[in-house]
Amino acid sequence: MKQHHLDDNKVSQAKWDEPLIFERSIPGVVGHVFPAAEPDLIHVAGKLEDIIPSTMTRKDPPRIPEVSEPGIARHFTRLSQMNFAVNLGTYPLGSCTMKYNPAENNWAASTPGFAWLHPLQDSSMTQGALEMMWELERWLGEITGMDAVTLQPAAGAQGEWTGVMMMREYHRCFTEECELRTEMLIPDAAHGTNPASAAMAGYKVVVIPSSKEGLVDLDAIKEAAGSRTAGLMLTNPNTIGVFEKDIGEITDIVHDAGGLVYYDGANFNAIMGKVRPGDMGFDVVHLNLHKSFSTPHGGGGPGAGPVGVTEKLKEFLPVPRVIKKDDGSFDLDYDYPRSIGKVKSFYGNFGVLIRAYSYIYALGAEGLERASEVAVLNANYIAHHVRKIPGFTLPYSQDAPRMHECVISAEELKERTEVTAMNIAKRLLDFGVHAPTVYFPLIVPEALMIEPTETESRQELDYFISALEKISEEAHEDPERVKRAPHSTAVGLLDEYRAAHPKTLTLSYRMYQEYQKQDGD
């Protein structure tokens, strides 16, 4: 590994004294002039006020900032310069797959034929969009080993909930002991949305502990599975980054108990083209298109969480379903009496679907497989070198290869220097590297979950490793410098407890004004 001479003085974010967009507002200033209503429409309606029914108009107009177009452009450009993005540096946020997203996919999503469609247009006018969705469903079905797919869910968590609701509906329709199947088995290292989705669907969560290898404990799952089991929610590879080598036996145990098995696709970037959840024995799969299939998703969106199912669950998929008619045209079909219904307005997060279609089309089967190979290679490269840095260890299954991510523990560094995983994460920002996920999974103390993805070069990985080496040295020589980090970012070290307090958590400009008024009083 090539060593880097690191100097955090060479990396610094812009620091603009940028007011809120509302504070930039000047009465009478406009950034866009809307065209007048069409004369023909006014003629038919009689007068302009009659075009929009009174029941749909506001008594008072919304308060919108009055800012010029240059003012808006400068405002958001300055904010972007005070932020971090995957276009600026390595973004190793574990279990989030923050890969660089090719510009051509954004181009595909912005082509007028797609971007200017309205979801309420008649299907005769949206044939291209429907064909794209129909093909994407089949591609995702082939990639996952599922028989049918819905593109409706707008996020991974919503995909989870959709899958669990279909599992519940299956038991209601086909299992005589439906009312008894009240439990969902979930590993203790699962993503937090798994137990949340199960609970929202009305299930009691039964936690399955991990073995000493960081895998699902087979004895525990054998003991837990029974007549009350509705299913198991699992990701493979798991959150430790290790492949569940006993996956066939795990799915058999649940199926023998009468339950179904759900695959959380958050870690799918490790296995594209290598193995399919359907071949492992899973009945339901959700995918994060904004992770594995290329859509920028920093800042909480946008996302898409398509769900695939085996034949026995097809009839429960959300409506409408995209169908291809005998004459070769495409349409939307609502005639599925046992469907769980709609889970998303219209038909899904369409722009994300186009990006995923473009990504798969460009790479093909071989390209997707190669992407997973490089992602796994990069994660193992990180694990191999970071575990040698003083204060860092690789917990669980020391000899087992990591898949798309590796989880490093900084527990030893904390014991020696009192520098925590959170301190390390903050200090990394000074070197132009985004922090990895910290303190997850909960079974690893002082966890740093690192996912480099396939889009990072060896040079970038070496730089990241060197930054961790530098932080380890600082922690032993000058721990207070690490604890006070970050030093070169637009915003310094925050009081995270105070920031999360209801009194200081400001979610809207109205709340901001109320707090200011209270402080003034």
Side-chain angles (χ1 to χ4, degrees), residues 2 155 165 301 310 320 326:
K2 183 178 179 180
M165 291 298 288
T310 54
D326 294 339

Side-chain angles (χ1 to χ4, degrees), residues 17 26 64 84 106 120 145 151 167 174 183 226 229 277 279 290 293 308 311 317-318 339 437 443 462 483 487 498:
D17 184 16
I26 300 175
I64 299 174
F84 191 90
N106 292 333
L120 291 180
L151 303 175
M167 293 166 69
F174 294 119
E183 298 178 350
T229 302
D279 299 332
H290 50 284
F293 297 96
E311 185 69 31
L317 284 167
S339 166
T437 299
I443 61 175
D462 287 344
K483 293 179 182 180
H487 305 284
R498 182 170 176 270

Side-chain angles (χ1 to χ4, degrees), residues 315-363:
E315 60 184 311
F316 306 116
L317 284 167
V319 291
R321 299 275 304 280
V322 182
I323 60 170
K324 186 175 184 180
K325 299 193 291 188
D326 294 339
D327 62 1
S329 64
F330 298 88
D331 205 350
L332 294 169
D333 188 0
Y334 289 82
D335 189 18
Y336 293 89
R338 285 181 166 173
S339 166
I340 63 169
K342 250 181 179 293
V343 298
K344 169 74 167 65
S345 59
F346 301 121
Y347 322 114
N349 202 339
F350 189 62
V352 180
L353 305 181
I354 299 171
R355 290 180 177 90
Y357 182 93
S358 176
Y359 182 75
I360 298 171
Y361 190 91
L363 290 184

Side-chain angles (χ1 to χ4, degrees), residues 350-429:
F350 189 62
V352 180
L353 305 181
I354 299 171
R355 290 180 177 90
Y357 182 93
S358 176
Y359 182 75
I360 298 171
Y361 190 91
L363 290 184
E366 292 182 1
L368 292 177
E369 183 178 6
R370 181 59 177 164
S372 286
E373 290 174 347
V374 177
V376 171
L377 176 64
N378 284 352
N380 280 278
Y381 186 79
I382 292 286
H384 175 76
H385 288 287
V386 175
R387 67 193 293 187
K388 298 178 181 179
I389 300 174
F392 295 105
T393 59
L394 182 68
Y396 296 106
S397 302
Q398 293 285 322
D399 299 324
R402 266 40 186 179
M403 302 299 287
H404 63 303
E405 66 190 9
C406 61
V407 180
I408 301 293
S409 173
E411 184 178 25
E412 288 187 6
L413 192 68
K414 180 183 177 181
E415 291 174 350
R416 297 175 189 172
T417 68
E418 296 185 352
V419 168
T420 66
M422 182 62 79
N423 297 145
I424 296 166
K426 302 294 187 184
R427 184 64 175 130
L428 275 170
L429 300 176

Side-chain angles (χ1 to χ4, degrees), residues 412-475:
E412 288 187 6
L413 192 68
K414 180 183 177 181
E415 291 174 350
R416 297 175 189 172
T417 68
E418 296 185 352
V419 168
T420 66
M422 182 62 79
N423 297 145
I424 296 166
K426 302 294 187 184
R427 184 64 175 130
L428 275 170
L429 300 176
D430 288 325
F431 298 103
V433 175
H434 195 279
T437 299
V438 294
Y439 300 119
F440 183 76
L442 299 178
I443 61 175
V444 176
E446 297 299 316
L448 295 163
M449 179 186 276
I450 303 168
E451 183 179 5
T453 81
E454 74 278 9
T455 58
E456 296 302 322
S457 67
R458 179 175 175 179
Q459 289 82 359
E460 293 286 350
L461 298 182
D462 287 344
Y463 180 82
F464 173 66
I465 295 166
S466 295
L468 288 176
E469 290 175 337
K470 178 70 172 179
I471 294 170
S472 174
E473 293 173 7
E474 291 179 338

Side-chain angles (χ1 to χ4, degrees), residues 137-325:
E137 286 183 359
R138 274 139 193 83
W139 291 357
L140 296 179
E142 176 61 29
I143 292 169
T144 58
M146 294 288 110
D147 296 310
V149 173
T150 176
L151 303 175
Q152 263 193 54
Q158 191 180 32
E160 290 175 19
W161 180 81
T162 300
V164 175
M165 291 298 288
M166 285 190 284
M167 293 166 69
R168 192 178 77 172
E169 194 66 8
Y170 170 84
H171 285 303
R172 189 182 72 82
C173 292
F174 294 119
T175 306
E176 293 181 1
E177 306 91 358
C178 175
E179 298 302 320
L180 298 176
R181 295 195 175 273
T182 58
E183 298 178 350
M184 189 66 67
L185 312 183
I186 300 178
D188 58 2
H191 297 110
T193 48
N194 286 186
S197 297
M200 285 183 67
Y203 286 111
K204 175 186 176 182
V205 174
V206 177
V207 179
I208 306 298
S210 298
S211 68
K212 294 180 179 179
E213 296 177 294
L215 305 172
V216 170
D217 189 302
L218 285 178
D219 291 334
I221 203 168
K222 288 176 183 176
E223 183 177 347
S227 59
R228 292 189 297 273
T229 302
L232 165 72
M233 300 181 75
L234 184 71
T235 187
N236 195 23
N238 61 26
T239 11
I240 298 297
V242 178
F243 193 87
E244 295 281 355
K245 57 185 176 63
D246 299 315
I247 189 61
E249 186 174 355
I250 291 171
T251 55
D252 284 346
I253 291 170
V254 178
H255 286 149
D256 290 344
L260 298 171
V261 189
Y262 177 91
Y263 182 87
D264 180 336
N267 298 345
F268 195 74
N269 208 54
I271 63 170
M272 294 187 300
K274 290 295 183 182
V275 63
R276 307 188 307 175
D279 299 332
M280 299 181 210
F282 288 90
D283 304 291
V284 187
V285 175
H286 100 258
L287 292 175
N288 299 77
L289 296 189
H290 50 284
K291 294 185 181 184
S292 305
F293 297 96
S294 175
T295 286
H297 65 290
V307 176
V309 296
T310 54
E311 185 69 31
K312 61 185 178 183
L313 292 166
K314 282 175 63 174
E315 60 184 311
F316 306 116
L317 284 167
V319 291
R321 299 275 304 280
V322 182
I323 60 170
K324 186 175 184 180
K325 299 193 291 188

